[in-house]
């Protein structure tokens, strides 16, 4: 779609401008378009910094793109502006120039979000798997949901540019290949498949416009998973296991973990482990519980904090995000883990990372799948679209 739209216009420009100048201009235009495809709406000043162009040159480039309708003024940055001053116009690709589907095949349900070329989420929904749906049946439930969303919101997906699909667990059995094939066959566009917790890490990294280059993400839920963003890129690792914080052993004499080792973080800080230690049945009970559970929560937070401090010493992230429904039900865990990380890092080298709870909700995996699609641009070409070989390990998240 994009090339159809932008292609002829370049030809026109080249015909009217002399050789080298036209070529340079075209390179600049492609760079600006690639930045907007990756980042959504940006002000001229933000584009100039990212493209390495002077304000004057950029003004000329965006003027041409605006005149051709390749990009549009979407709104102003008044929403995210903190100080005073006139809000800047935000420029973006024509919203109709592309659609992106983010799908999260979770344990119990599928979540779908749809974004346009400006990165605006324009539709979304969820559906529980019917009783007895196996892993191989999940894509079909997603297709039905996508059809329903399309019918309800009037989106026809004619400008679909790609599909990102989050799945649970590592690719131990090669099932991601089947998922990739199913979506590629259904939509005939590029498909990216990865672990949904890792996608959630990427979604948090791009959630608020601060755009940290380095971020560590941990999710405290029924299991414990995580993700690592290094240099602005989601790291899969050689065998797709980067960010498996749940199976770092924190107590060598602890209880057996489902992975076969003893005393993994997951045996202490997952939701079932915490509820068991507190003698409670549900997270609702935990959220209501008083000071009686604080000793358990503090021990949990200390273990989480030490693991995150080690990760931070290795990776030196700008942000650490503690997500998952344990963090939501017991914010005390986030606060105390943050102080543990700060205490471990401050003596080593000044200010540590910003440590925060997650900003996004249950659609974070689907949003991250779309963020991964946006990052598959000429500027960020090496995000893995192929999946590590099966048999990479037996850990499960
Ligand atoms: Zn384990």
């Amino acid at each position: 779609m994009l090339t159809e739209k932008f292609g002829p216009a370049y030809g026109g420009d080249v015909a009217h401008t002399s050789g080298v100048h036209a070529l340079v201009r075209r390179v600049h235009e492609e760079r600006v378009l690639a930045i907007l495809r990756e980042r959504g709406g940006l002000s001229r000043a933000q584009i100039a910094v990212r493209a390495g162009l002077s304000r004057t040159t950029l003004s000329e480039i965006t003027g041409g793109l605006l005149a051709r309708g390749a990009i549009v003024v979407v709104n102003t940055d008044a929403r995210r502006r903190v100080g005073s001053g006139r809000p800047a116009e935000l420029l973006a690709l024509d919203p109709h120039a592309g659609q992106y589907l983010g799908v999260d095949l979770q344990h119990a349900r599928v979540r779908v979000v749809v974004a346009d070329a400006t990165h605006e989420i324009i539709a979304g929904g969820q559906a529980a798997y019917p009783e007895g749906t196996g892993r191989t049946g999940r894509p079909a439930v997603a297709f039905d949901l996508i059809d329903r969303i399309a019918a309800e919101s009037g989106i026809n997906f004619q400008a679909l540019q790609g599909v990102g699909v989050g799945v649970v667990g590592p690719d131990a059995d090669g099932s991601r290949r089947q998922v990739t094939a199913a979506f590629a066959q259904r939509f005939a566009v590029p498909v990216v498949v990865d672990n949904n917790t890792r996608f959630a890490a990427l979604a948090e990294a791009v959630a608020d416009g601060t755009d940290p280059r380095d971020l560590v993400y941990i999710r405290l839920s029924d299991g414990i998973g995580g993700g690592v963003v290094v240099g602005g890129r989601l790291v899969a690792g050689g065998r797709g296991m980067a960010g498996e914080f749940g199976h770092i052993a924190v107590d060598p004499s602890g209880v057996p973990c489902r992975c076969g080792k003893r005393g993994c973080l997951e045996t202490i800080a997952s939701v079932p482990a915490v509820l068991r230690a507190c003698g409670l049945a549900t997270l609702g009970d935990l959220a209501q519980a008083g000071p009686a559970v604080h000793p358990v929560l503090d021990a949990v937070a200390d273990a989480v904090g030490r693991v995150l401090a080690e990760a931070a010493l290795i990776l030196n992230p700008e942000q650490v995000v503690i997500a998952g429904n344990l963090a939501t039900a017991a914010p005390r865990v986030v606060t105390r883990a943050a102080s543990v990380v700060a205490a471990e890092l401050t003596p080593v080298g000044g200010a540590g990372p910003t440590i925060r709870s997650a900003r996004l909700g249950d659609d974070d995996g689907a949003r991250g799948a779309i963020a991964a699609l946006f990052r598959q641009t000429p500027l960020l070409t090496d995000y893995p679209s192929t999946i590590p070989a099966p048999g990479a390990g037996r850990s499960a998240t």
Side-chain angles (χ1 to χ4, degrees):
M1 292 297 154
L2 297 173
T3 32
E4 276 170 27
K5 177 156 194 172
F6 304 145
Y10 287 132
D13 277 356
V14 171
H16 291 102
T17 335
S18 65
V20 175
H21 180 71
L23 188 63
V24 170
R25 185 188 169 100
R26 179 172 173 166
V27 168
H28 288 164
E29 285 183 348
E30 289 191 343
R31 191 158 173 75
V32 169
L33 291 171
I35 289 167
L36 292 176
R37 202 171 300 133
E38 187 215 326
R39 296 296 314 165
L42 292 174
S43 69
R44 285 180 180 79
Q46 290 169 318
I47 299 170
V49 169
R50 285 164 199 273
L53 297 173
S54 72
R55 298 288 288 269
T56 315
T57 306
L58 184 81
S59 187
E60 193 187 320
I61 298 298
T62 54
L65 292 171
L66 281 166
R68 301 207 307 264
I71 63 174
V72 292
V73 175
V74 282
N75 49 28
T76 69
D77 68 349
R79 261 185 318 171
R80 56 175 97 159
R81 181 163 286 247
V82 201
S84 56
R86 194 165 63 90
E89 284 182 341
L90 296 187
L91 304 178
L93 298 181
D94 178 348
H96 306 296
Q99 296 146 350
Y100 300 82
L101 260 176
V103 179
D104 186 358
L105 301 174
Q106 302 176 353
H107 279 294
R109 66 178 64 83
V110 54
R111 293 213 57 138
V112 169
V113 295
V114 186
D116 65 19
T118 72
H119 296 202
E120 201 73 39
I121 302 290
I122 52 175
Q126 58 176 304
Y129 303 124
E131 192 82 27
T133 304
R135 275 200 181 215
T136 52
R138 291 177 183 178
V141 180
F143 298 157
D144 287 347
L145 174 61
I146 291 164
D147 286 345
R148 199 181 82 207
I149 291 169
E152 284 171 4
S153 58
I155 299 169
N156 60 19
F157 291 118
Q158 281 186 346
L160 189 65
Q161 302 293 309
V163 183
V165 188
V167 294
V168 292
D171 192 32
D173 54 1
S175 60
R176 288 185 195 175
R177 223 174 288 277
Q178 293 161 14
V179 171
T180 307
F183 279 87
Q185 191 182 12
R186 177 70 166 71
F187 294 103
V189 294
V191 176
V192 178
V193 179
D194 202 343
N195 176 277
N196 59 359
T197 308
R198 201 175 291 133
F199 275 153
L202 183 61
E204 284 290 340
V206 301
D208 63 353
T210 57
D211 198 18
R213 304 277 300 157
D214 300 280
L215 176 140
V216 166
Y217 173 95
I218 191 168
R219 178 187 279 170
L220 310 175
S221 195
D222 284 344
I224 292 181
V228 177
V229 175
V230 173
R233 292 209 317 272
L234 190 57
V235 176
R239 304 221 168 216
M241 295 208 15
E244 283 287 352
F245 300 117
H247 298 285
I248 293 177
V250 293
D251 179 6
S253 58
V255 299
C257 178
R258 64 191 168 115
C259 74
K261 300 193 298 179
R262 272 184 182 278
C264 292
L265 185 65
E266 193 170 289
T267 66
I268 294 168
S270 65
V271 168
V274 173
L275 290 179
R276 207 178 307 121
C278 294
L280 297 170
T282 68
L283 279 176
D285 297 341
L286 183 67
Q288 302 291 324
V293 300
H294 287 178
V296 171
L297 294 181
D298 290 352
V300 166
D302 289 349
V304 171
R306 280 196 302 276
V307 165
L308 289 176
E310 286 172 20
L313 283 166
I314 295 166
L315 296 165
N316 189 23
E318 295 153 78
Q319 285 187 25
V320 172
V321 176
I322 305 176
N325 45 15
L326 178 68
T328 310
R332 183 183 181 89
V333 170
V334 178
T335 316
R336 184 161 167 128
S339 64
V340 171
V341 175
E344 293 277 338
L345 294 192
T346 308
V348 182
T354 302
I355 301 157
R356 62 173 176 87
S357 47
R359 293 202 168 89
L360 301 172
D362 189 50
D363 63 354
D364 53 0
R367 284 173 179 266
I370 285 183
L373 288 173
F374 287 141
R375 294 191 163 222
Q376 283 199 317
T377 72
L379 297 177
L380 289 153
T381 48
D382 49 357
Y383 184 80
S385 58
T386 51
I387 305 306
R394 56 183 170 164
S395 123
T397 301

